[in-house]
Amino acid sequence: MSSSSDFQQDRHSFSGSPQKWNDFELPGDTLYYRFTSDMSNTEWGYKFTVTAGHLGRFQTGFEILKQMLSEERVVPHLPLAKIWEWQVGVACRQTGHQRLKAIHLLLKIVQCSAQRDCDLTLLKPLWQLFTHMENNLCHDMAKPGILLPLHRALAELFFVTENRVTELGTLQEYLLALNTEDHLHRCTAQ
């Protein structure tokens, strides 16, 4: 079982008697599973039960953090660097609406952070996702359409972040940290 169709993320494998199985959690809103039999038994297989995460766990955390980031008097007392680190990790692991909500919180953190509270280079995996979406959009010009919500959210996050690092005078370091050496060589060659 996994949270990705290629079975590379959050993978859990089980074999043998039911006593060897343990409860586990997967991030996101989709579960992928694969059942393979070695034909050594004639019983029907396995049964498992899937339940939604702990009641309101993600949504509750999202609402609380969103409210805290909206209160100007509270923001200076928050450990923004640590919250930023956690939230980037959440945005990278989650999918669907939960990823959009995590990106929304990242945007709020960038907008309310003072000085250099956040390590913006942690955004590299999201930058790679965004550039991949941009490249697909450029290659698919025959089918103009509306940007996906994730694409729009990432575009806004990186637009605001770029403005923020420009204000701080660290634009060059930020751009170098987000891009791979191969990408920089291709851009230079162009």
Side-chain angles (χ1 to χ4, degrees), residues 77 98 118:
H77 304 286
Q98 290 181 343
C118 308

Side-chain angles (χ1 to χ4, degrees), residues 7-184:
F7 293 90
Q8 298 300 310
Q9 296 177 4
D10 307 303
R11 184 180 175 151
H12 297 271
S13 295
F14 299 96
S15 178
S17 67
Q19 289 75 28
K20 293 182 180 180
W21 287 56
N22 297 318
D23 288 350
F24 62 93
E25 291 185 25
L26 289 177
D29 56 7
T30 305
L31 162 77
Y32 296 90
Y33 69 93
R34 181 178 358 193
F35 175 77
T36 307
S37 173
D38 63 3
M39 306 285 205
S40 64
N41 227 329
T42 58
E43 296 169 33
W44 67 272
Y46 290 98
K47 176 182 176 183
F48 58 91
T49 304
V50 177
T51 56
H54 295 79
L55 185 60
R57 178 193 231 173
F58 181 90
Q59 187 62 32
T60 301
F62 169 78
E63 292 297 335
I64 291 170
L65 188 53
K66 182 175 81 169
Q67 187 61 40
M68 291 172 71
L69 291 169
S70 299
E71 298 287 332
E72 287 182 31
R73 58 187 165 79
V74 173
V75 171
H77 304 286
L78 295 175
L80 285 180
K82 197 64 177 165
I83 293 170
W84 174 262
E85 185 180 332
W86 291 332
Q87 205 57 40
V88 170
V90 169
C92 291
R93 285 189 311 274
Q94 294 296 339
T95 59
H97 291 299
Q98 290 181 343
R99 177 178 271 172
L100 286 174
K101 288 179 177 183
I103 291 169
H104 172 78
L105 290 176
L106 289 174
L107 187 57
K108 285 185 96 44
I109 294 169
V110 167
Q111 291 169 329
C112 71
S113 65
Q115 306 111 18
R116 299 169 190 252
D117 285 331
C118 308
D119 180 1
L120 299 175
T121 62
L122 294 175
L123 292 173
K124 188 170 187 166
L126 294 174
W127 175 254
Q128 290 170 340
L129 174 62
F130 176 67
T131 55
H132 177 73
M133 295 174 103
E134 286 285 299
N135 290 336
N136 286 346
L137 187 66
C138 291
H139 294 314
D140 202 12
M141 292 304 264
K143 265 191 342 186
I146 301 170
L147 290 181
L148 295 171
L150 176 59
H151 196 158
R152 287 195 317 265
L154 288 170
E156 184 176 5
L157 174 64
F158 287 111
F159 176 75
V160 169
T161 303
E162 185 177 323
N163 285 337
R164 188 78 181 118
V165 295
T166 301
E167 290 170 8
L168 296 171
T170 58
L171 180 62
Q172 185 173 356
E173 294 88 354
Y174 167 72
L175 293 175
L176 287 172
L178 289 185
N179 288 289
T180 62
E181 201 170 309
D182 183 49
H183 178 75
L184 294 173

